[in-house]
Amino acid sequence: MKKTVTTLADGRELIYYDSADDVVRDAADQRPLDAVSTSSEIRHDPLLGDSVAIASHRQGRTYHPPADECPLCPSREGRHSEIPDTDYDVAVFENRFPSLAGDSGRCEVVCFTSDHEVSFAGLTDDQAALVLEAWTDRTADLAELPQVAQVFCFENRGAEIGVTLGHPHGQIYGYPFVTPRTEQMLRSMETHRAETGRNLFDDVVARELADGDRIVLEGEHWVAFVPYAAHWPYEVHLHPRRRVPDLRELDEGARTEFPQIYLELLRRFDRIFGPGEPPTPYISAWHQAPFRAPGREDFGLHLELFTIRRTTDKLKFLAGSESGMGVFINDVPPEAAAQRLREVASE
C-alpha cells in the first residue's frame, strides 16, 4: 500500500491509498473554495449523561446531487470534485460539513472506489483489503490526536438510512469522548469479569459457536453470527477469533481472510428479500476500544452489520418504545434471520 497525503484548496487534508507503489498523486485542487467554517459544539445532557453534537452548518451540505455532479467521483473532463485526481483506489478526506471539528473531534469521508456505480459488495478482495488498510491507518493516525478518545469507522448504505450521496463511501468519526454504546459495553465487560473471572467478548463468541443456531459464516480467523438479543430485523456481528481491541492489532491471517468473509456477508444481505428486489439498506459499524479507557485490552473489536428493512416493503421504525425508552422490539427472531442468511448463500 502507498499512502499519499495532500491538501484540498480550503486546507482540508486528503489522503490517497493505492495498491501500487509507483502511483504519483500530485493533482492540485483547482476549485476556488472558501475556508471551512463550522459551528460544531458538544453539549452534555445532564439527565442521560451523554453528549450531543450541535452542528447547524450541516443544514447546507450537499443533498442528493445528480450522478454527473457527484463530489466523490474523480475530477474529470473539466469538472472538479473533492478528489482532484482523475482516478483513485481509496481516498480519505476531512468532511467539509463535519459533525465534529477542532477540539470537538474530527470527521472524515472514505471513498471506497472511484467507480460511482459499484457498491462495497461489488469490490474485489484486493479492493476490500485496501479499504481495511485505510481504516486501520486512519485509526492509528487519529489515535495520535489529543482531542480524539475513540475512532468509529462506518458505512451508511441506502436512501432509507439517510444517505445523501450515492457514491460508495463511508465515514470515520474521531469522538472527543467515549460513546454511550461503548460505555455500556465497558460496564458489561467489567461486571462480567467481576462475576465470572472471564472475558465477556470471548464468552459471547463461545456461546454462539456452541449453540450454532445463529451462526451465519465461519472462517479460520473470523466468525459471523446473529446475536442472541438482536435489535434489528437482520443483524450480524463479525468477530475475529483472536480477540483484539482495535483494527491496528489484527494479525496478517485475519487481514487476509477479512475481505472474503465480509464481502460474502454483504452479498447475502443483498439477497435477503429475494431476486429483483432493490439493494438492502444497511449500516456497517466497527466497534473499537477507546484509546485511553481502563481495561481497553479486554475489549473485543467487532463489526456490526444491520438493516432497517424487515420485509420487502416494510421498514423497522424506531417508534415509541425504541425512541422514547430505548427498548427495542424485534419482529424477526434471530434464529430465523440467521437461517435466512444461511439459505441465501445458494440462491
Side-chain angles (χ1 to χ4, degrees), residues 317-338:
F317 292 104
L318 300 189
S321 185
E322 292 87 354
S323 295
M325 287 288 106
V327 179
F328 274 69
I329 301 169
N330 189 354
D331 298 333
V332 181
E335 293 75 17

Side-chain angles (χ1 to χ4, degrees), residues 161-220:
I161 298 294
V163 175
T164 57
L165 296 175
H167 195 98
H169 73 288
Q171 299 180 66
I172 299 175
Y173 277 18
Y175 291 104
F177 49 79
V178 179
T179 64
R181 285 205 66 201
T182 304
E183 289 275 20
Q184 287 182 319
M185 291 184 197
L186 291 171
R187 287 194 296 270
S188 296
M189 181 184 78
E190 292 170 1
T191 299
H192 188 79
R193 174 72 74 182
E195 292 177 349
T196 69
R198 299 190 302 270
N199 181 274
L200 174 61
F201 294 93
D202 291 347
D203 281 1
V204 166
V205 174
R207 171 186 175 173
E208 296 297 344
L209 287 169
D211 187 296
D213 284 351
R214 292 174 296 276
I215 296 293
V216 176
L217 275 173
E218 288 190 71
E220 181 181 354

Side-chain angles (χ1 to χ4, degrees), residues 220-292:
E220 181 181 354
H221 301 279
W222 296 87
V223 57
F225 54 86
V226 177
Y228 175 76
H231 289 58
W232 301 95
Y234 293 90
E235 174 182 346
V236 175
H237 292 192
L238 178 62
H239 285 251
R241 289 182 183 269
R242 184 180 72 87
R243 175 174 46 82
V244 296
D246 62 38
L247 288 165
R248 298 174 294 177
E249 298 194 34
L250 287 174
D251 59 27
E252 194 57 36
R255 293 186 182 281
T256 299
E257 187 181 74
F258 172 76
Q260 305 157 31
I261 296 287
Y262 185 52
L263 291 175
E264 176 61 20
L265 275 179
L266 293 181
R267 290 161 187 163
R268 291 191 189 190
F269 256 58
D270 274 346
R271 297 197 294 268
I272 290 173
F273 302 104
E277 294 300 323
T280 301
Y282 65 73
I283 293 174
S284 176
W286 280 109
H287 290 265
Q288 304 193 79
F291 298 127
R292 292 170 285 278

Side-chain angles (χ1 to χ4, degrees), residues 53 58 61 95 97-100 104-110 138-139 142 148-154 156 170-177 179 288 291:
R58 285 175 54 79
R61 66 188 186 272
N95 197 324
F97 303 96
S99 303
L100 310 166
S104 297
R106 175 159 163 142
C107 291
E108 300 179 342
V109 177
V110 185
R138 297 314 303 143
T139 298
L142 294 176
V148 173
Q150 180 180 358
V151 167
F152 177 45
C153 306
F154 64 101
N156 296 328
Q171 299 180 66
I172 299 175
Y173 277 18
Y175 291 104
F177 49 79
T179 64
Q288 304 193 79
F291 298 127

